[in-house]
Amino acid sequence: THAFSGAGSFKDEGLVKAAAEVQSLVDSNAFIKGFNGLSNEEAKSEFLNEKAAMYMMGTWELPNFTTNEDIPQEFRDSVGFFKFPTVDGGKGNIDSWVGGPGVGLFVAENSKVKEEAKAFVEYFVTKWGDQSVTGAGVIPATKVDTASLQLPQLYIDLFNEMNQASSITLFADVQLQANAAETHLNMIQALFGKETTPEKFSEEHDTAVSQGK
């Protein structure tokens, strides 16, 4: 977060090491050939066709592995999940999540029904957690009592893990200014494609953040 704001640097030892670890994954063939050029749908098809053991994606894909009738039940029953592992000696916390809370609700300061609106928002958010899962297959940013709902096991397992989350960090590109975000996304692709070094990756980020101030 300090690096994103410019208060810190992407040349921090931990961040450079993280970039190097990414390239170590690439070198170990953790990803299928040509992964950098695949669309989301193409990458997902490799998993659905059982040509890939794992598929790294957000929780919005959960309905495909739980309630989507177009996908065989046998396959859906065989899907599980795990949290991205921490690195030996690293400062990361496996219970620290990355994502976005989605919906934001605001009440106008000068509203004539300010207190009533605040009460409704509180009620809505409380009910939204249950309804979003059962009705839309969406993972909410609120805790969900899995014992009170009829849910596929994959949802229950995920919620039980999420309820233990120590923090949530927004996606990096969301935190950055538009130009810096574009640089970030381009450099991520270059890093995975072995078209840059961890050191150059860090330098480019620092330059982009400083220019965006």
Side-chain angles (χ1 to χ4, degrees), residues 12-210:
D12 177 88
E13 181 182 359
L15 292 176
V16 176
K17 181 69 163 57
E21 290 288 345
V22 165
Q23 293 194 329
S24 292
L25 280 174
V26 174
D27 290 340
S28 66
N29 294 318
F31 309 101
I32 64 172
K33 185 177 180 180
F35 66 89
N36 238 350
L38 296 181
S39 68
N40 174 52
E41 289 305 310
E42 290 170 328
K44 182 165 58 180
S45 71
E46 294 292 319
F47 181 66
L48 293 175
N49 291 328
E50 301 185 25
K51 294 181 179 180
M54 297 172 285
Y55 175 57
M56 185 174 173
M57 186 40 63
T59 56
W60 51 83
E61 285 288 350
L62 273 174
N64 280 323
F65 310 127
T66 52
T67 57
N68 187 346
E69 296 293 339
D70 292 332
I71 296 173
Q73 185 68 51
E74 183 180 0
F75 180 86
R76 283 181 277 157
D77 289 341
S78 72
V79 175
F81 82 97
F82 64 91
K83 295 181 285 189
F84 203 91
T86 54
V87 177
D88 288 343
K91 298 179 181 178
N93 179 349
I94 201 167
D95 289 321
S96 179
W97 291 64
V98 175
V103 179
L105 299 171
F106 302 87
V107 175
E109 178 66 33
N110 59 356
S111 170
K112 294 181 180 179
V113 288
K114 178 180 175 181
E115 294 307 315
E116 293 87 343
K118 286 167 62 177
F120 172 75
V121 167
E122 182 177 355
Y123 170 80
F124 179 84
V125 170
T126 301
K127 296 298 182 182
W128 166 245
D130 294 353
Q131 293 297 319
S132 64
V133 182
T134 57
V138 175
I139 301 299
T142 55
K143 288 190 175 184
V144 174
D145 180 9
T146 56
S148 65
L149 301 173
Q150 292 294 320
L151 296 171
Q153 189 60 44
L154 190 57
Y155 275 103
I156 294 173
D157 293 343
L158 178 61
F159 279 125
N160 288 341
E161 287 288 356
M162 289 186 68
N163 286 345
Q164 306 301 316
S166 57
S167 64
I168 184 168
T169 302
L170 283 174
F171 301 112
D173 58 314
V174 176
Q175 298 185 54
L176 294 166
Q177 295 288 336
N179 289 342
E182 183 177 2
T183 295
H184 168 70
L185 294 175
N186 289 338
M187 291 307 298
I188 286 287
Q189 188 163 22
L191 185 73
F192 275 83
K194 300 296 290 291
E195 296 168 359
T196 189
T197 64
E199 291 75 21
K200 183 68 173 176
F201 173 85
S202 300
E203 290 174 10
E204 291 284 343
H205 273 79
D206 271 356
T207 300
V209 171
S210 64

